[in-house]
């Protein structure tokens, strides 16, 4: 940043970047005013003494939105806190994250929703939360969705597990439709996945690790498509990982169903072969799958079947990830590497990438008033600036998370976030946090 250094909110000009939002690309400067909104987007803006953020060679995009973040608070603060999760988020260009409910206690009541939102207010980015669909995420009785919806919760999920009971899920869809909220499903049929620690296939057989078959995901996707169709409620599919489930969602969309889907960065960059090292850093749910599945996820991201790139940022302490493969918890970090992996591994136009990382998740999470663009005067200045060409090597030790479970150690990637602004406040400047 040049001119007067500032870490608080004030007028600032982002100079020399390529502005990309879902409306297209144009070379422009962006002026942000002291009220936290975009004041002007024009070819050249005189900063009149305001601080300048250099964006030469960079893309200026609406800040990213992660619909799938495990922040671990309350209950597992040794792995992550809302504060440290938000540090990872803004490092990765995210201006909003949506917390998953598998905390201790779970986010299944107004009291816990309030606690998470309250802690979120002090975080560097916007923190939204999901609420659990069932009490205690136990899959037996519906959680008090209405009281959580009254506090602004717009997505409900039992993430970490799927809702197994068909009848209960149908009721949840009916109820959600009445409330105007979205149900997001972790698609996994326990009866098929139980006891498995990786994808069931060639590699699980070779390694002697019990597997989880693809059908465990496919069956629940199929059921929820039927229930969503029957009830007319919107359904969001979390972390799709199989070719069959991508195909089913594609077909459902073609028939006009109100369904949306996300894929994680690890499901388009890694396969089950990574488990050959027996390193639990590669253990995740749903598991890393086959080359064909990865190709299907990539195709789904390209053709619009999959609406969103999500991280499923799932911090776990080093001790727990040093346990043997079958005992270690599933999950990997994702917020700090998502953009680079998408740029490096997906050959997509920037406009599509911005849709996947920002505009669509903002719409699905019902926060499009604040996030997801367009980059235009009067809009809240929730923005990120990234250099799409910079190459860097992933080093888990440098993560801002409290955990280190990044499965890309040593991998060279392309694309790095330089600046992130939340409500006009530069919270990341030249890669450095400005808390
Ligand atoms: O790998 C995963 N980790 N998948 C999940 O569904 C839950 C998550 C976690 O909370 O660690």
């Amino acid at each position: 940043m040049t001119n007067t250094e500032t870490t608080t909110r004030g007028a600032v000009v982002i100079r020399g970047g390529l502005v990309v939002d879902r409306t297209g690309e144009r070379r422009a400067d962006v002026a942000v005013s002291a009220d936290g909104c975009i004041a002007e987007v024009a070819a050249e803006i005189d900063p009149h003494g305001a601080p300048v953020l250099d964006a030469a060679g960079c893309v200026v995009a609406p800040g990213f939105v992660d619909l799938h973040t495990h922040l671990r608070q309350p209950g597992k603060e040794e792995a992550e806190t809302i504060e440290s999760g938000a540090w990872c988020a803004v490092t990765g260009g995210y201006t909003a994250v949506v917390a998953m409910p598998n905390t201790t206690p779970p986010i299944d009541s107004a009291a816990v929703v309030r606690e998470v939102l309250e802690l979120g207010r002090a975080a560097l980015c916007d923190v939204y939360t999901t609420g659990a669909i069932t009490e205690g995420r136990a899959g037996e009785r519906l959680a008090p969705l209405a009281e959580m919806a009254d506090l602004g919760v717009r997505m409900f999920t039992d993430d970490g597990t799927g809702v197994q009971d068909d009848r209960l899920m149908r009721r949840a869809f009916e109820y959600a439709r009445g409330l105007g909220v979205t149900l997001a499903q972790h698609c996994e049929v326990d009866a098929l996945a139980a006891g498995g620690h990786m994808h069931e296939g060639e590699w699980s057989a070779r390694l002697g690790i019990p597997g989880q078959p693809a059908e465990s995901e496919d069956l629940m996707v199929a059921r929820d498509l039927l229930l969503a169709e029957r009830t007319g409620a919107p359904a969001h599919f979390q972390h799709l990982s199989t070719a069959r489930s991508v195909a089913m969602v594609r077909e459902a969309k073609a028939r006009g169903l109100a369904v949306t889907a996300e894929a994680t960065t690890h499901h388009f960059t890694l396969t089950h072969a990574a488990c050959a090292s027996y390193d639990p850093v590669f253990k995740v749910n749903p598991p890393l799958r086959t080359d064909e599945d990865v190709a299907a996820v990539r195709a789904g991201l390209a053709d619009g079947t999959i609406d969103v790139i999500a991280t499923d940022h799932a911090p776990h302490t080093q001790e727990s990830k040093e346990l043997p493969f079958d005992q270690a918890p599933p999950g990997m970090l994702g917020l700090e590497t998502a953009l680079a992996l998408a740029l490096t591994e997906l050959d997509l136009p920037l406009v599509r990438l911005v849709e996947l990382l920002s505009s669509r998740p903002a719409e699905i999470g019902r926060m499009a008033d604040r996030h997801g663009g367009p980059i235009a005067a009067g809009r809240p200045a929730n923005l990120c600036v990234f250099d799409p060409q910079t190459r860097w090597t992933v080093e888990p030790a440098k993560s801002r998370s409290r955990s280190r479970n990044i499965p890309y150690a040593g991998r060279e990637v392309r694309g790095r976030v330089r600046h992130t602004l939340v409500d006009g406040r530069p919270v990341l400047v030249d890669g450095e946090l400005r808390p």
Side-chain angles (χ1 to χ4, degrees):
M1 197 133 89
T2 55
N3 295 342
T4 341
E5 285 281 322
T6 184
T7 56
T8 51
R9 190 193 283 168
V12 57
V13 173
I14 303 168
R15 182 192 273 163
L18 180 72
V19 172
V20 180
D21 58 19
R22 69 176 353 167
T23 68
E25 309 182 359
R26 60 250 174 234
R27 237 294 301 131
D29 294 349
V30 179
V32 173
S33 58
D35 67 359
C37 290
I38 296 169
E40 191 185 359
V41 182
E44 266 185 45
I45 296 176
D46 182 343
H48 293 296
V52 171
L53 288 171
D54 177 38
C58 292
V59 171
V60 182
F64 305 146
V65 173
D66 189 24
L67 283 186
H68 199 135
T69 314
H70 295 274
L71 292 170
R72 301 292 187 232
Q73 205 174 0
K76 270 262 168 64
E77 288 79 359
E78 65 277 22
E80 199 75 289
T81 61
I82 290 175
E83 180 185 45
S84 63
W87 292 341
C88 297
V90 301
T91 300
Y94 289 86
T95 52
V97 295
V98 182
M100 289 298 112
N102 59 339
T103 49
T104 314
I107 308 173
D108 68 349
S109 67
V112 188
V113 166
R114 263 196 217 100
E115 180 183 351
V116 170
L117 294 179
E118 188 56 40
L119 288 162
R121 272 190 268 285
L124 281 191
C125 66
D126 277 3
V127 175
Y128 296 79
T129 188
T130 55
I133 296 173
T134 70
E135 279 178 18
R137 299 176 44 254
E140 286 165 12
R141 280 181 303 275
L142 282 186
L145 307 192
E147 71 174 46
M148 293 189 272
D150 280 348
L151 295 172
V153 177
R154 291 293 172 265
M155 284 184 93
F156 291 86
T157 174
D158 273 3
D159 185 65
T161 51
V163 177
Q164 306 296 312
D165 186 301
D166 307 332
R167 181 182 162 91
L168 186 62
M169 196 59 204
R170 175 181 168 164
R171 281 187 44 221
F173 271 125
E174 282 163 351
Y175 203 38
R177 179 162 184 233
L179 287 173
V181 298
T182 298
L183 298 186
Q185 189 77 279
H186 169 121
C187 291
E188 183 177 330
V189 172
D190 287 348
L192 286 172
H197 300 288
M198 64 177 291
H199 173 68
E200 181 182 288
E202 177 197 342
W203 279 100
S204 65
R206 269 198 225 178
L207 301 172
I209 298 174
Q212 307 173 354
E215 292 72 29
S216 140
E217 173 168 318
D218 301 341
L219 269 178
M220 197 171 282
V221 171
R223 179 201 68 180
D224 280 10
L225 285 171
L226 293 171
L227 293 176
E229 184 163 12
R230 160 73 55 194
T231 59
H236 178 71
F237 293 99
Q238 297 177 296
H239 43 48
L240 287 189
S241 70
T242 72
R244 184 68 68 84
S245 63
V246 174
M248 285 189 285
V249 170
R250 181 178 291 115
E251 190 264 348
K253 283 188 166 191
R255 286 193 297 115
L257 256 67
V259 297
T260 54
E262 66 186 38
T264 70
T265 41
H266 43 274
H267 288 117
F268 66 75
T269 52
L270 297 168
T271 71
H272 57 164
C275 302
S277 61
Y278 289 97
D279 185 341
V281 80
F282 298 108
K283 180 173 176 179
V284 67
N285 258 352
L288 302 176
R289 305 225 187 240
T290 66
D291 286 317
E292 293 72 34
D293 294 313
V294 168
V297 168
R298 288 178 179 221
L301 287 163
D303 74 8
T305 300
I306 300 173
D307 301 80
V308 167
I309 293 174
T311 71
D312 200 356
H313 182 85
H316 289 289
T317 60
Q318 234 155 330
E319 303 100 77
S320 67
K321 276 294 197 182
E322 276 162 10
L323 291 167
F325 202 92
D326 60 340
Q327 291 163 40
M332 3 180 110
L333 301 185
L335 287 166
E336 295 160 295
T337 47
L339 169 73
L341 290 164
L343 280 166
T344 311
E345 300 288 339
L346 302 174
D347 193 20
L348 294 177
L350 285 168
V351 171
R352 175 78 189 128
L353 213 59
V354 166
E355 241 173 29
L356 286 162
L357 286 164
S358 181
S359 318
R360 285 299 285 144
E363 282 169 356
I364 294 164
R366 303 185 201 213
M367 57 179 93
D369 54 329
R370 293 193 34 74
H371 297 275
I375 297 180
R379 290 274 312 175
N382 291 312
L383 301 167
C384 77
V385 178
F386 63 89
D387 182 339
Q389 299 305 337
T390 303
R391 291 186 177 277
W392 56 287
T393 303
V394 180
E395 290 176 74
K398 292 199 172 153
S399 171
R400 285 172 172 139
S401 170
R402 289 199 168 182
S403 297
R404 292 287 174 268
N405 51 314
I406 297 179
Y408 303 103
R411 184 144 162 169
E412 191 179 308
V413 289
R414 176 172 69 77
R416 189 143 216 187
V417 177
R418 277 188 72 184
H419 318 303
T420 305
L421 289 86
V422 176
D423 270 329
R425 179 180 160 213
V427 291
L428 185 89
V429 175
D430 277 320
E432 295 299 323
L433 292 177
R434 297 291 179 94

